[in-house]
């Protein structure tokens, strides 16, 4: 596929192969973007911003609705692209496509709700004759940088609200999964989005990231990815607004009054969805000692039933990890934990990019598998004697995206809601729950700001005050 820069689809001699992570077979190529492409993309975006800020809101709405319709008619094609370039099974990929349709549709709906309010200027003595209001205007050019694990919907979460709010976008998708993003770009152009509003530059973050980030033309950087790249981007960005959607090692608490069947079933799904390469994936489960054994049995039995394999087979429950390098990293972390005394209950083995769903108990608190984000199919079970202990351990890490509690007690639920240091608490659900209109984001090292269309739109627009001195 080609990059989208200005009013054309651009090819280059130097290409990047996009491979299926299952067998490393190439499925397509994209151009390897460079400094000249970045310059062209920003020049186009400057023009694109002039176009979109003047585009009547009803036209932006129509374009976004049409885009959602186009994706709807090609759902299976989008799903196959997601599952071929990435880790998701075809069934998981279909869910992502339907979420993306939601995201674009909600962007159309929210475009008509970018509103302001009147200001009571006469609330200050001496301002009796003043009347006025504020309204929200677009922030300008937004640099969007996206990760591999939801290659379509996380792109939609940036492009949808950016367009709805009247901005222009330069997007850099993850190098291993650029095809879904380019397909979304095609759908937008086909739906009538004027050229130059959206520009998609493919290329390695390590090669073009700095030039993209340091450029003074974007007014905002909207980044989703890991903390390492996030730190580098923050240190290079200069005077820009920054939105950061980062990782976590999400905790789930299972109390002695929980429905253990429900807790086990939802936690297994939350732990191994997308091979655990999921920012709200379940990584640490704190179980009340009175139900520990029963929960462990149920959890491990369900985990053992998962079928690992080719992600495009309908019957596969868990596909390959995104690269062999990532699978090897997880293998190293597992080995380190074993050497440190952690007890393996099931899994732990790797074959190429395929990693068995892995469950530990007695994980030492200093182990990477406890304190860092594993971003792979490994989960640890911990025995706790009280809710206080569970919350204190859940909060003992530097991340805080989602937390969850399974309980039938309102007191337990509200205590967890109050005391978990996270951006969202799920009650009787795993941490892996999200719909696209809710505010989404984390505290501590899990990020800055919130996405979820309405909330992204607030970040991507600014209030302008108007005051008449009568
Ligand atoms: P990543 O390695 O941080 O990459 C994310 C994006 O940043 C990619 O497009 C990457 O380009 C680019 N990039 C890397 N270095 C850069 C630099 N110096 N300057 C500019 N851009 C740079 O993350 P990933 O492995 O794709 O995704 C996994 C991470 O994303 C996990 O930590 C996960 O928790 C997080 N995540 C968070 C959310 C959320 O909403 N909170 C959602 C999904 C994922 P290349 O691909 O070319 O390296």
């Amino acid at each position: 596929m080609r990059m989208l820069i200005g009013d054309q689809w651009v090819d280059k001699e130097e290409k990047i192969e996009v491979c299926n992570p299952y067998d490393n077979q190439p499925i397509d190529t994209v151009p390897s973007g460079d400094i000249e492409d970045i310059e062209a993309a920003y020049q186009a975006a400057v023009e694109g911003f002039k176009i979109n800020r003047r585009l009547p809101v009803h036209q932006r709405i129509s374009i976004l609705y049409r885009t959602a319709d186009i994706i709807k008619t090609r759902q299976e094609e989008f799903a196959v692209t997601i599952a071929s370039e990435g880790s998701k099974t075809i069934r998981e990929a279909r869910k992502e496509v339907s979420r993306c349709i939601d995201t674009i549709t909600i962007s159309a709906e929210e475009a008509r709700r970018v509103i302001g309010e009147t200001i009571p200027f006469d609330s200050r003595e001496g301002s009796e004759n003043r009347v006025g209001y504020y309204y929200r205007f677009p922030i300008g050019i937004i640099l969007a940088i996206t990760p591999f694990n939801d290659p379509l919907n996380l792109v939609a979460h940036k492009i949808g609200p950016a367009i709805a709010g009247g901005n222009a976008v330069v997007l850099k998708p993850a190098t291993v999964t650029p095809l879904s993003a380019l397909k979304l770009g095609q759908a937008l152009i086909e739906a009538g989005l004027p050229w130059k509003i959206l520009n998609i530059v493919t290329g390695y973050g390590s090669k073009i990231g700095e030039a993209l980030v340091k450029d003074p033309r974007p007014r905002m950087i909207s980044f989703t990815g890991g903390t390492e790249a996030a730190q580098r981007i923050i240190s290079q960005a200069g005077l820009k607004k920054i939105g950061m959607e980062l990782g976590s090692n999400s905790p789930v608490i299972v109390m002695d009054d929980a429905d253990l069947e429900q807790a086990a079933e939802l936690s297994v799904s939350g732990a191994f969805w997308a091979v655990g390469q999921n920012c709200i994936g379940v990584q640490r489960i704190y179980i009340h000692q009175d139900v520990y054994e029963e929960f462990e049995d149920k959890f491990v039995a369900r985990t053992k039933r998962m079928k690992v394999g080719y992600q495009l087979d309908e019957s596969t429950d868990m596909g390959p990890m995104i690269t062999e390098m990532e699978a090897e990293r997880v293998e190293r972390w597992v080995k380190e934990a074993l050497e440190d005394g952690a007890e393996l209950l099931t899994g732990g083995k790797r074959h190429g990019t395929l990693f068995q769903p892995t469950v530990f108990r007695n994980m030492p608190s200093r182990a990477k598998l406890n304190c860092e984000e594993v971003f792979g199919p490994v989960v640890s079970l911990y025995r706790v004697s009280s809710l206080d202990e569970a919350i204190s351990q859940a909060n003992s890490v530097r991340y805080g995206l989602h937390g969850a509690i399974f309980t039938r007690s309102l007191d337990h639920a509200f205590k967890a809601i109050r005391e978990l240091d996270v951006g969202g608490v799920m009650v009787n659900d795993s941490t892996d729950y999200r719909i696209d209109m809710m505010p989404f984001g984390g505290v501590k090292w899990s990020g800055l700001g919130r996405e979820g269309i309405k909330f992204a739109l607030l970040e991507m627009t600014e209030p302008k005050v108007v005051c008449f001195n009568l």
Side-chain angles (χ1 to χ4, degrees):
M1 293 183 79
R2 297 169 178 205
M3 300 188 279
L4 172 58
I5 298 181
D7 56 4
Q8 49 192 315
W9 293 96
V10 175
D11 210 354
K12 291 195 87 74
E13 246 172 58
E14 199 183 332
K15 304 257 198 283
I16 297 170
E17 267 188 350
V18 183
C19 297
N20 184 322
Y22 179 76
D23 51 13
N24 211 27
Q25 286 304 303
I27 50 172
D28 206 339
T29 62
V30 292
S32 179
D34 57 25
I35 304 290
E36 280 171 25
D37 302 307
I38 292 169
E39 179 54 32
Y42 278 131
Q43 277 183 21
V46 168
E47 297 304 311
F49 178 45
K50 288 182 197 155
I51 297 167
N52 201 20
R53 70 194 299 189
R54 289 199 206 103
L55 209 61
V57 170
H58 66 82
Q59 285 189 25
R60 294 183 209 152
I61 291 173
S62 303
I63 292 164
L64 289 165
Y65 275 135
R66 276 199 299 272
T67 306
D69 283 342
I70 291 170
I71 302 169
K72 247 181 241 167
T73 59
R74 295 189 204 143
Q75 286 198 50
E76 193 59 14
E77 182 193 325
F78 272 95
V80 169
T81 304
I82 291 171
S84 306
E85 67 175 344
S87 281
K88 283 190 174 166
T89 64
I90 186 68
R91 287 182 283 136
E92 290 170 338
R94 287 187 191 119
K95 281 207 175 157
E96 185 175 343
V97 180
S98 86
R99 291 264 311 270
C100 173
I101 294 166
D102 272 3
T103 303
I104 298 293
T105 305
I106 299 164
S107 299
E109 291 164 358
E110 288 297 334
R112 69 173 89 242
R113 290 195 273 271
V114 182
I115 54 176
E117 52 187 10
T118 55
I119 298 168
F121 284 102
D122 63 348
S123 58
R124 170 143 181 102
E125 210 178 314
S127 285
E128 291 79 2
N129 291 329
R130 285 178 170 83
V131 293
Y133 57 92
Y134 75 84
Y135 69 99
R136 302 194 74 86
F137 68 99
I139 196 167
I141 297 171
I142 294 166
L143 167 61
I145 302 178
T146 51
F148 74 84
N149 61 317
D150 292 301
L152 181 68
N153 193 36
L154 288 180
V155 174
H157 264 286
K158 301 190 186 303
I159 295 181
I163 291 172
N167 303 286
V169 179
V170 173
L171 166 74
K172 196 213 89 62
T175 299
V176 281
T177 57
L179 305 178
S180 306
L182 291 167
K183 270 186 186 286
L184 179 58
Q186 284 176 341
L188 279 153
I189 295 291
E190 205 178 314
L193 182 74
W195 296 100
K196 299 183 179 176
I197 292 174
L198 174 63
N199 302 273
I200 307 178
V201 181
T202 51
Y204 299 104
S206 52
K207 180 174 148 194
I208 59 172
E210 186 171 348
L212 278 165
V213 167
K214 279 189 169 167
D215 195 284
R217 284 167 284 193
R219 169 114 174 108
M220 176 180 181
I221 299 177
S222 175
F223 173 80
T224 301
T227 42
E228 210 180 301
Q231 303 270 24
R232 193 159 311 136
I233 288 168
I234 284 183
S235 71
Q236 293 170 343
L239 197 61
K240 295 183 181 77
K241 193 168 179 179
I242 305 241
M244 290 276 165
E245 297 286 336
L246 310 179
S248 190
N249 48 8
S250 301
V252 170
I253 298 170
V254 180
M255 290 306 291
D256 50 355
D257 58 2
D259 176 338
L260 294 187
E261 284 291 330
Q262 180 197 41
E265 187 179 327
L266 293 174
S267 299
V268 166
S269 162
F272 303 118
W273 186 265
V275 205
Q277 299 162 124
N278 173 6
C279 58
I280 44 177
V282 176
Q283 188 175 327
R284 301 173 291 139
I285 308 182
Y286 298 99
I287 304 134
H288 193 278
Q289 58 191 10
D290 293 351
V291 292
Y292 180 88
E293 271 78 21
E294 197 183 338
F295 179 84
E296 183 188 284
D297 288 348
K298 287 182 193 301
F299 191 90
V300 173
R302 275 183 169 72
T303 302
K304 284 183 171 163
R305 285 203 292 271
M306 293 199 71
K307 188 177 159 206
V308 182
Y310 183 46
Q311 71 271 39
L312 284 141
D313 273 351
E314 290 290 338
S315 62
T316 298
D317 297 313
M318 210 176 81
M321 288 195 67
I322 191 68
T323 59
E324 190 146 1
M325 217 170 88
E326 272 298 284
E328 284 167 358
R329 175 189 58 78
V330 172
E331 191 177 37
R332 271 198 310 279
W333 288 22
V334 164
K335 194 162 163 271
E336 277 170 32
L338 284 169
E339 284 165 7
D340 208 6
E343 215 178 309
L344 187 65
L345 296 172
T346 183
K349 294 268 179 308
R350 177 182 76 83
H351 179 71
T353 48
L354 293 181
F355 208 103
Q356 287 175 354
T358 299
V359 185
F360 275 103
R361 71 173 165 215
N362 294 332
M363 180 62 64
S365 57
R366 62 181 168 267
K368 289 200 189 87
L369 286 175
N370 176 67
C371 38
E372 298 301 333
E373 177 187 43
V374 61
F375 221 60
V378 186
V379 63
S380 299
L381 310 184
Y382 305 79
R383 185 190 297 264
V384 291
S385 57
S386 66
L387 182 54
D388 278 319
E389 187 188 350
I391 292 174
S392 144
Q393 289 200 34
N395 287 341
S396 69
V397 296
R398 55 188 179 182
Y399 298 100
L401 194 48
H402 274 185
I405 179 166
F406 286 91
T407 180
R408 289 191 176 94
S409 150
L410 277 177
D411 284 349
H412 288 156
F414 274 95
K415 186 176 167 67
I417 292 165
R418 267 195 314 271
E419 296 183 16
L420 282 173
D421 295 335
V422 289
V425 177
M426 305 299 134
V427 180
N428 292 330
D429 226 321
S430 96
T431 49
D432 182 28
Y433 181 78
R434 177 185 185 186
I435 62 169
D436 296 287
M437 53 82 63
M438 71 187 222
F440 182 76
V443 301
K444 302 197 277 187
W445 271 39
S446 290
L448 294 169
R450 293 291 181 269
E451 288 195 341
I453 319 306
K454 174 176 159 189
F455 306 91
L457 255 166
L458 281 177
E459 306 278 352
M460 293 175 174
T461 54
E462 295 179 299
K464 184 179 276 189
V465 172
V466 180
C467 179
F468 294 85
N469 185 3
L470 300 174

